[in-house]
Amino acid sequence: MDHTVSNPLLVPLDNPLLICFSHLRWDFVFQRPQHLMTRAAADYTVVFFEEPVFETVPSPLLRRKTVAPGLEVTTPILPHLVSGIEVDRAIAILLENLVAGIEHDHLVTWYYTPMALKFTTALHEDVCVYDCMDELSAFKNAPPELTRLEEQLFSKADVVFTGGMSLYESKRTRHHSVYAFPSSIDTAHFHQARRPQADPADQQTIAHPRVGFFGVIDERFDIDLMARTVAAMPTVQFVTIGPVVKIDPATLPAGPNIHWLGAKRYAELPRYMAGWDVGWMPFALNDATRYISPTKTPEFLAGGLPVVSTAIVDVVQTYGRRGLVEIADTGSMPAALSTALCKGCSETARVDAFLSEMSWDSTWSAMQDLLKSAKVLRLPKFSRMVDHV
């Protein structure tokens, strides 16, 4: 299917501003918002607007830092005693002053969370984007008003993007202009893992063979599956990288062949992956994972690793059916990992051919075409899909 939108009415913009409202902090884990906003900064002045932080300050203020050319991260800092509706009003005032202070002739608002609608009603954007990367209402501790606010965001948005094909199928009837942009890949970055190199210091003493995972460890990570698998494979070392959130670290499995190395920078990941023998994705099959499209799937493959995953729908349909990722359930996981360890990455040519059709650069380019079209037309469009798989 088409990856771009052709429109003879597209016109260049002299001074466009894009404000991205995110529930994920810039420095948390480098993923979809960071990939896209970094590329957007070549076309826009980009402000990545985070959720507030409460500190001992006399009055609300904005903490601003430049993280890349044309891209700044802005965080509202609020006094501890501010609460409830006062929070939203304080953020709204800070945001209005911020926008007024940035010279621009065109404003794009880009939402990752519908919750931002609580403080953005005074903005007059030229284009509104809802980039729905996850089904947030299914996550642990989701705000009760999230579903209602998402319905408002569907009414407000000019265009809706989804982070995977399952999300596309779920959302496509709720808006007139929905496009699927599944997780993509910075191939050159993860190709670094294919080169022989020294282990990072905290991985040097871990024996082989190694099965590795990186990502957020939360309710989507199947702790019970990991415990059973590592117990069944005592000679295999399991290396896990990433922050632990929304679950008690004390509940994580422990043992001589389990290694929790904590969060690492995006730039460090290929070096750790270079020392792994298999990448695995032990996701739980629950409401929080029903619509995910894990970015680590193409990242593991680009790093030259054989990959074993639980039956996440988007992973099965995009990678499993093509034989690029082995799909296993609780009972078959040890056998699937053992096979992958023996087989190694034997599908490199097919993997590379498949990944050559994917990139964050091409994803942003297609999104940018849609933004320009929405700016000029601002007319209802037929729902369609941009298929990168």
Side-chain angles (χ1 to χ4, degrees):
M1 295 186 180
D2 291 343
H3 287 203
T4 59
V5 173
S6 297
N7 188 332
L9 298 178
L10 299 185
V11 294
L13 300 168
D14 294 328
N15 208 6
L17 170 64
L18 187 156
I19 301 184
C20 175
F21 301 103
S22 178
H23 59 293
L24 300 170
R25 298 204 180 276
W26 184 267
D27 292 328
F28 179 51
V29 174
F30 200 93
Q31 51 189 306
R32 181 186 183 94
Q34 289 85 347
H35 280 294
L36 292 175
M37 292 303 106
T38 300
R39 287 158 176 80
D43 303 297
Y44 297 82
T45 296
V46 176
V47 175
F48 188 87
F49 200 89
E50 296 188 327
E51 293 186 336
V53 172
F54 295 87
E55 297 182 2
T56 305
V57 293
S59 59
L61 58 92
L62 288 178
R63 181 172 294 149
R64 301 169 66 176
K65 65 176 180 178
T66 299
V67 295
L71 194 162
E72 76 167 43
V73 174
T74 299
T75 309
I77 310 299
L78 305 182
H80 288 291
L81 296 180
V82 177
S83 61
I85 194 170
E86 294 178 335
V87 170
D88 299 327
R89 181 56 185 155
I91 298 174
I93 293 172
L94 292 171
L95 176 61
E96 290 166 29
N97 291 336
L98 173 71
V99 174
I102 300 175
E103 184 178 351
H104 63 279
D105 57 17
H106 173 75
L107 176 61
V108 173
T109 53
W110 186 293
Y111 290 81
Y112 279 107
T113 170
M115 299 301 293
L117 288 178
K118 297 169 71 174
F119 53 80
T120 61
T121 54
L123 294 182
H124 299 288
E125 66 273 279
D126 295 279
V127 175
C128 176
V129 177
Y130 178 25
D131 189 7
C132 181
M133 65 178 284
D134 286 307
E135 183 57 78
L136 296 179
S137 63
F139 282 19
K140 187 177 181 179
N141 303 325
E145 67 267 52
L146 183 60
T147 300
R148 174 181 60 82
L149 289 172
E150 184 182 60
E151 196 59 43
Q152 291 182 19
L153 186 52
F154 276 120
S155 298
K156 177 184 177 68
D158 294 288
V159 63
V160 176
F161 303 141
T162 68
M165 300 309 301
S166 294
L167 266 179
Y168 170 79
E169 293 299 331
S170 174
K171 307 295 184 182
R172 66 187 179 91
T173 61
R174 298 179 62 185
H175 192 272
H176 54 73
S177 186
V178 182
Y179 302 79
F181 286 95
S183 295
S184 199
I185 177 68
D186 181 349
T187 302
H189 181 69
F190 287 97
H191 268 186
Q192 297 176 82
R194 299 187 182 190
R195 301 197 302 262
Q197 54 197 287
D199 260 328
D202 56 351
Q203 191 169 267
Q204 287 179 355
T205 60
I206 299 175
H208 284 271
R210 298 172 183 164
V211 171
F213 170 91
F214 63 70
V216 180
I217 296 111
D218 58 14
E219 73 269 29
R220 294 170 292 179
F221 190 94
D222 194 331
I223 295 174
D224 293 335
L225 172 60
M226 183 178 194
R228 290 192 294 270
T229 304
V230 299
M233 306 180 74
T235 62
V236 177
Q237 307 300 311
F238 289 81
V239 180
T240 304
I241 289 172
V244 179
V245 299
K246 295 191 288 185
I247 60 175
D248 183 357
T251 64
L252 298 177
N257 62 331
I258 303 177
H259 310 274
W260 303 95
L261 301 188
K264 305 297 178 185
R265 293 181 295 110
Y266 179 72
E268 299 177 285
L269 296 179
R271 191 176 173 200
Y272 280 90
M273 291 171 59
W276 298 351
D277 301 293
V278 170
W280 80 319
M281 302 192 300
F283 288 111
L285 302 181
N286 56 30
D287 289 343
T289 63
R290 171 62 185 85
Y291 298 102
I292 65 172
S293 176
T295 56
K296 61 185 58 56
T297 316
E299 290 169 351
F300 282 166
L301 291 170
L305 293 173
V307 182
V308 180
S309 175
T310 50
I312 298 301
V313 174
D314 279 16
V315 176
V316 172
Q317 294 183 348
T318 305
Y319 300 94
R321 291 179 178 176
R322 290 176 169 86
L324 302 177
V325 168
E326 181 69 24
I327 306 300
D329 58 23
T330 300
S332 64
M333 184 61 73
L337 289 173
S338 295
T339 298
L341 287 168
C342 293
K343 184 179 179 182
C345 190
S346 59
E347 301 289 344
T348 303
R350 288 207 307 125
V351 164
D352 289 349
F354 181 75
L355 296 181
S356 69
E357 302 296 322
M358 304 166 59
S359 77
W360 288 114
D361 289 338
S362 61
T363 294
W364 169 250
S365 178
M367 288 178 167
Q368 169 72 327
D369 284 348
L370 290 163
L371 264 63
K372 290 178 180 178
S373 181
K375 163 66 171 78
V376 173
L377 298 180
R378 275 239 165 181
L379 296 173
K381 295 172 281 293
F382 292 104
S383 181
R384 61 183 294 190
M385 177 178 65
V386 177
D387 185 357
H388 290 265
V389 300

